[in-house]
Amino acid sequence: MPLTVYNSLTRKLEPFQPVTEGRVHMYVCGPTVYASTHIGHAKTYVAFDVIVRYLRYAGYRVRYVQNITDVGHLLDSGEDRILKGAARERVEPMELVERFTREYFEGMDALGVTRPDISPRASAHIPEQIEWIQTLIEKGHAYELNGSVYFDVRTFAEYGKLSGRRIGEAEEGARGEFREDKKHPEDFALWKKAEPEHILRWRSPWGWGFPGWHIECSAMSTKYLGETFDIHGGGVDNIFPHNECEIAQAEAATGKPFARYWLLTGSLTVGGVKMSKSLNNFVSLRDALAAYRPEAIRFFILSGLYRSPLDYSEEAMQGAVRGWERLTGAYPALLQRLAAPEAPGGAQSSAASNLIEDVRARFRKAMDEDFNAPAAIAALFDFTREVNTALAAEKGPAHADLERFAALYRELAGDVLGLLPRGDAGSRARESSLIQLLIGLRNEARVRKEYALSDSIRDRLAEIGVVLEDGKEGTTWKVH
């Protein structure tokens, strides 16, 4: 079946048809790097990581651009988030930016999030933003007042088409711009005048200043993806004003459609309230990674539809840990069988072929329906149940089928969903063989009644996350 996506611009499911056949150009609003990355960010970027992974798995050539906002993101008070963060930490603004940019990418790397093809910074694209602003002024969509430049929303008839807001519905004080001296309350800043003591400032045709928040995304996305590109992603909380303003200024400047499909993630909540730094109800990604395996965090995030809200709690995370262990527990068992010297030979079975084809088809059907990761995971749970049944049978699967089962886990649970521990197949096989060797040494120690040595092997393996389980069929292991 063809890939369908929920387009927030049209508010309906649509067949996905890229601008250029076989290629996908995709832009996702990245973080404002003024404070630590939290698990709410992880929800958005893990979701888009899986979308990118699946598009590539489906055969598309994807160019993925995700910006870094390091200037211009204003608080309700009118202060720049970066400057306020720098004052809080008593460091230079770019020092703050470097610290939290590194922290962001380190956290994403730990989660197995594929790095974007391009990660442009707002501060490195000031000339492009100035050029865009000049074009908007020339076309009558923007005006200059006392060294600042504003977009006149009344010159763009479709303003509000993404958010559904009408002109006149803007909330007083939104983004700190209502109280400014401008023509209309809804007009938004493209360029802000900077006072002499303002550190983040650049020379422009309107004097020293800095860009507004919204202009960076229009300038950078079109620079790298074209004036009309395929997918624009981000969090649902940015629909207004950020995404709405992006569309207005981009389409007013070019006269062409901006992004064809808008894919927006639901918020991560705590007790039904959006997780936010400003509310101080967030869990830093570092703390989450210290408490839970990255694959379990990904499992938690993927247990809900990407565009639905997801509530975070310790109970939910503990459930995710158990769910991840059940889903992937058969994979190390397969590696153990493959590494065992007595692994059965034999040809591929038709039953195994039918199972693999059915699971792959169900998985792809789920992902083709607006990247429905929960349904895709359900197909993998059924696969795990069938694999466990086959492994427990008196005459287990042939070596060829064991290899195909393991390969399907790597293909779907690993390559697409990122739920398997990372590492190449060769290293995983070597690790499995080493663990089997240690289990063998432990069993020999138990036979010789050297229980201290036996317990030491078990405990040392547990320290690195390998849990041994003794049963009637012998000793098995799993990664915790």
Side-chain angles (χ1 to χ4, degrees):
M1 63 176 292
L3 172 63
T4 59
V5 300
Y6 182 83
N7 189 351
S8 292
L9 185 63
T10 60
R11 299 172 185 80
K12 63 182 182 181
L13 284 167
E14 298 179 359
F16 179 67
Q17 297 177 332
V19 174
T20 302
E21 186 175 355
R23 297 179 66 95
V24 175
H25 282 185
M26 175 172 166
Y27 183 89
V28 172
C29 288
T32 301
V33 283
Y34 71 100
S36 290
T37 303
H38 59 67
I39 197 169
H41 297 118
K43 181 183 186 301
T44 291
Y45 300 119
V46 167
F48 284 110
D49 176 54
V50 170
I51 288 172
V52 170
R53 284 169 177 249
Y54 183 70
L55 288 170
R56 287 173 173 157
Y57 171 77
Y60 290 102
R61 184 176 177 182
V62 181
R63 179 182 293 169
Y64 179 27
V65 179
Q66 183 193 113
N67 70 304
I68 296 291
T69 297
D70 57 359
V71 65
H73 191 162
L74 303 183
L75 293 160
D76 291 350
S77 63
E79 297 174 276
D80 186 295
R81 288 181 183 269
I82 302 300
L83 290 181
K84 185 169 183 178
R88 178 192 69 233
E89 302 289 333
R90 297 183 179 182
V91 296
E92 289 290 325
M94 288 298 106
E95 185 178 352
L96 181 90
V97 163
E98 290 301 322
R99 178 198 302 176
F100 289 120
T101 299
R102 286 196 296 269
E103 181 183 313
Y104 167 73
F105 280 118
E106 288 168 0
M108 294 300 112
D109 290 345
L111 280 175
V113 172
T114 307
R115 290 214 177 187
D117 299 301
I118 306 173
S119 298
R121 294 191 182 195
S123 63
H125 293 75
I126 300 299
E128 291 90 341
Q129 295 176 69
I130 290 175
E131 183 177 351
W132 268 72
I133 296 168
Q134 289 176 309
T135 298
L136 288 167
I137 292 174
E138 292 168 2
K139 291 191 172 186
H141 292 289
Y143 57 91
E144 185 262 340
L145 277 177
N146 302 321
S148 293
V149 181
Y150 299 94
F151 184 90
D152 186 344
V153 297
R154 281 165 171 74
T155 67
F156 186 71
E158 293 187 284
Y159 187 76
K161 65 181 178 179
L162 179 66
S163 65
R165 292 182 179 233
R166 297 179 183 273
I167 292 176
E169 292 180 352
E171 297 179 6
E172 184 171 351
R175 295 296 171 192
E177 294 175 2
F178 184 87
R179 294 179 294 276
E180 298 176 26
D181 182 20
K182 52 189 178 181
K183 290 182 179 179
H184 314 113
E186 301 89 348
D187 295 350
F188 57 89
L190 299 170
W191 187 262
K192 295 285 291 179
K193 179 182 178 180
E195 301 302 327
E197 66 273 12
H198 199 288
I199 297 174
L200 294 176
R201 63 193 190 115
W202 289 263
R203 190 187 300 275
S204 79
W206 317 285
W208 288 94
F210 57 94
W213 176 28
H214 318 303
I215 192 67
E216 66 172 276
C217 286
S218 296
M220 293 190 293
S221 61
T222 55
K223 176 182 176 70
Y224 297 109
L225 301 175
E227 292 178 336
T228 300
F229 56 92
D230 300 302
I231 296 173
H232 193 307
V236 68
D237 53 308
N238 280 339
I239 286 181
F240 189 87
H242 184 55
N243 298 149
E244 196 69 75
C245 295
E246 283 184 80
I247 293 172
Q249 63 202 6
E251 297 188 356
T254 67
K256 300 176 182 178
F258 183 40
R260 299 182 68 181
Y261 302 92
W262 285 80
L263 309 185
L264 302 173
T265 59
S267 298
L268 188 71
T269 59
V270 180
V273 179
K274 179 181 178 292
M275 184 177 287
S276 169
K277 293 172 185 174
S278 61
L279 296 176
N280 199 32
N281 66 344
F282 69 92
V283 176
S284 76
L285 184 54
R286 280 185 174 177
D287 287 346
L289 286 166
Y292 304 105
R293 292 186 60 92
E295 298 86 4
I297 295 174
R298 288 182 70 102
F299 182 92
F300 165 70
I301 292 168
L302 299 178
S303 65
L305 290 171
Y306 77 89
R307 55 189 171 93
S308 298
L310 184 65
D311 203 61
Y312 177 89
S313 67
E314 294 300 319
E315 292 78 12
M317 280 305 308
Q318 292 293 342
V321 170
R322 294 190 294 271
W324 174 77
E325 289 176 346
R326 289 197 308 274
L327 180 72
T328 61
Y331 182 65
L334 287 169
L335 297 184
Q336 291 178 57
R337 289 286 186 95
L338 287 168
E342 66 276 9
Q348 298 178 359
S349 70
S350 59
S353 297
N354 292 337
L355 173 62
I356 289 169
E357 290 175 8
D358 177 66
V359 171
R360 185 182 285 117
R362 288 178 57 199
F363 184 95
R364 293 203 61 161
K365 181 177 184 294
M367 294 300 288
D368 281 339
E369 294 175 345
D370 195 32
F371 310 105
N372 190 335
I377 288 173
L380 289 176
F381 266 120
D382 290 343
F383 177 59
T384 294
R385 185 180 66 251
E386 294 294 337
V387 170
N388 283 331
T389 299
L391 291 174
E394 184 175 349
K395 183 179 179 182
H399 191 279
D401 289 335
L402 292 172
E403 287 184 332
R404 291 197 296 161
F405 290 158
L408 191 66
Y409 274 113
R410 289 192 291 270
E411 175 188 332
L412 304 182
D415 295 343
V416 178
L417 300 182
L419 294 177
L420 290 186
R422 280 164 287 160
D424 59 67
S427 66
R428 287 193 293 265
R430 288 189 293 273
E431 290 168 4
S432 179
S433 296
L434 179 59
I435 292 170
Q436 285 295 129
L437 174 62
L438 291 171
I439 289 173
L441 293 174
R442 176 173 176 265
N443 289 337
E444 291 176 8
R446 294 170 75 186
V447 170
R448 296 193 300 269
K449 298 185 179 181
E450 296 175 357
Y451 298 118
L453 176 58
S454 168
D455 292 345
S456 176
I457 293 172
R458 180 199 61 205
D459 295 342
R460 295 294 292 274
L461 284 171
E463 288 175 6
I464 62 172
V466 178
V467 178
L468 302 187
E469 296 181 345
D470 297 318
K472 294 180 179 179
E473 304 297 324
T475 301
T476 58
W477 59 272
K478 65 180 180 179
V479 178
H480 182 67

